[in-house]
Amino acid sequence: MSYLRYLSLVSIVLFLTSSQSVFADGGKISAVYFGDYYYIAAHHNDELKSRNGFWTRRVYLTYDRKLNETFSSRVRFEVNSPDGLAGTGGKNIPYVKDAYLKISPKGSSHSIYLGRSITPTFSVVPKLWGYRAVEKSMLLMQKYGSTRDLGVAVKGKVPGVDMLSYHAMVGNGAGTSAETDKYKRGYLSATLKPSQAVVVQGYVDFEAREPGMNRMTLMGFLGYQMDNYRAGVQFGNQIRGQGEGVDDVSIQGVSVFGAAAVKPDKIWVFGRVDKMLSVNPGAPKIAYTPMSADAKSNTIIAGLDYRPVKNVHIIPNVLMSFYDSPEVGEKPGSDLMARVTLYYKF
């Protein structure tokens, strides 16, 4: 089956690149790649110590087309290496990341998205963090939700308040997977830009599940960005139902990050600190960087971004997690991973 999927993907690429009429109507193909060489110098799981290798963490192949002044569309495929640290093997299998029709009425500041599109959860913070190739932003890394959902979304500016925009969505809540129940997830974010440099965002979502298992996420973000430096602070809280008659669990965390140019367009440095204020039971499932679920984690990410040519980044970086003393049991050992990340796009 995987060979058939690859053949289908190759056929699509060949069709798009050979069809002049498609591009005459505004069609565009773009691609993104990032992957690493990694070495695990220390880990709370002894079996992962000294593990090293190469992996492809993300490949995007995107086709955008403007149909007319009102309608446009996007189809994006994604492929990545299975997470070998979790014992997952197999081949890289592409899947559909985005597939939506965008409706932007002429003269309106509002747009409707029908299909699979980005969720309001991750529409602002990852862009200002700017180093998704190194690591996901905190909420995504800690598995508060997915970057995509299948449903209906609306984005635009609040009438009469140009500095205030919104993004609302109703979706399956299953990310890029198939819907398996009758429940849905509603999302809403409001973003305030009082100046070109400052951005403030508030976010809430509610995911209906089986009785007693509902989830609600709250997030606040403050960011500052200029040409040669940027910084941000994010707070997230997800309230997870544990079943009828059982107390809910609150998963809270704070992330502070910054980046600055040493030599604009050539060399940047960056750093980030994530402090989990609660134990995250899903931490061992964090892709490529599994963490302990036995204690609250503290994560430090730092690196240097070298750009030899436009849109090519070579990024040596380190990711370290150490843990608070748990209420019960032994304190987990620290995690330390060194990586050289390659990121490029066209």
Side-chain angles (χ1 to χ4, degrees):
M1 179 60 71
S2 60
Y3 292 106
L4 293 177
R5 291 180 180 177
Y6 277 120
L7 182 59
S8 298
L9 182 57
V10 170
S11 298
I12 292 171
V13 173
L14 291 175
F15 169 75
L16 294 177
T17 54
S18 63
S19 177
Q20 295 183 357
S21 62
V22 168
F23 292 97
D25 292 334
K28 176 185 176 182
I29 285 182
S30 59
V32 169
Y33 172 92
F34 58 84
D36 318 278
Y37 171 76
Y38 69 93
Y39 175 76
I40 300 177
H43 205 273
H44 69 274
N45 181 352
D46 289 339
E47 294 181 1
L48 297 183
K49 289 181 181 179
S50 300
R51 285 281 294 272
N52 67 94
F54 299 90
W55 54 30
T56 295
R57 286 192 290 122
R58 188 62 48 88
V59 177
Y60 283 152
L61 180 63
T62 307
Y63 176 61
D64 292 293
R65 186 178 182 185
K66 185 175 181 180
L67 306 177
N68 60 24
E69 292 185 356
T70 300
F71 294 88
S72 59
S73 63
R74 164 174 285 188
V75 175
R76 169 175 286 171
F77 290 91
E78 178 182 327
V79 64
N80 42 56
S81 297
D83 184 2
L85 302 184
T88 305
K91 298 180 181 297
N92 301 353
I93 299 176
Y95 65 93
V96 177
K97 181 79 168 184
D98 292 309
Y100 62 75
L101 178 68
K102 179 181 177 182
I103 306 172
S104 302
K106 187 176 181 180
S108 173
S109 61
H110 309 278
S111 297
I112 301 171
Y113 295 76
L114 306 176
R116 180 173 292 164
S117 64
I118 191 169
T119 60
T121 329
F122 306 106
S123 58
V124 171
V125 179
K127 292 180 180 179
L128 203 140
W129 157 231
Y131 284 102
R132 171 62 188 89
V134 173
E135 192 49 75
K136 301 171 182 176
S137 56
M138 182 190 70
L139 263 65
L140 183 56
M141 182 183 187
Q142 295 291 336
K143 305 184 79 65
Y144 281 60
S146 174
T147 62
R148 300 300 192 276
D149 204 358
L150 182 61
V152 179
V154 183
K155 296 173 64 175
K157 292 183 177 180
V158 175
V161 190
D162 287 344
M163 67 176 65
L164 184 62
S165 60
Y166 70 92
H167 186 177
M169 185 177 196
V170 176
N172 287 335
T176 56
S177 300
E179 173 68 310
T180 59
D181 56 43
K182 63 182 180 180
Y183 303 105
K184 297 295 175 281
R185 187 170 185 169
Y187 312 75
L188 178 63
S189 69
T191 303
L192 179 68
K193 292 187 176 180
S195 69
Q196 288 293 102
V198 177
V199 57
V200 182
Q201 186 181 52
Y203 167 85
V204 62
D205 73 40
F206 180 81
E207 182 180 6
R209 292 189 168 199
E210 296 291 338
M213 300 294 290
N214 295 339
R215 293 187 176 186
M216 182 171 70
T217 308
L218 302 169
M219 187 273 288
F221 175 71
L222 172 64
Y224 186 83
Q225 183 172 22
M226 298 295 286
D227 288 342
N228 293 324
Y229 59 90
R230 60 182 181 270
V233 56
Q234 179 186 34
F235 170 78
N237 180 23
Q238 186 169 80
I239 302 167
R240 300 180 180 179
Q242 301 298 297
E244 293 183 308
V246 182
D247 292 339
D248 295 343
V249 173
S250 180
I251 311 298
Q252 299 182 12
V254 177
S255 179
V256 179
F257 60 80
V262 176
K263 185 177 181 181
D265 300 325
K266 282 294 182 182
I267 300 175
W268 282 64
V269 292
F270 61 89
R272 188 175 113 194
V273 177
D274 294 353
K275 168 64 178 177
M276 292 304 295
L277 306 176
S278 312
V279 174
N280 182 2
K285 296 181 180 180
I286 295 174
Y288 306 108
T289 54
M291 297 181 184
S292 174
D294 295 329
K296 301 173 186 177
S297 64
N298 309 276
T299 301
I300 299 172
I301 302 169
L304 182 146
D305 174 11
Y306 171 58
R307 308 172 183 183
V309 296
K310 184 178 180 181
N311 293 331
V312 175
H313 303 249
I314 300 172
I315 311 173
N317 62 92
V318 294
L319 187 152
M320 179 180 182
S321 293
F322 57 95
Y323 301 91
D324 297 347
S325 296
E327 296 181 2
V328 179
E330 296 183 359
K331 180 179 178 179
S334 299
D335 307 330
L336 178 61
M337 177 185 290
R339 297 182 295 200
V340 178
T341 301
L342 173 62
Y343 166 66
Y344 63 88
K345 60 182 180 179
F346 63 86

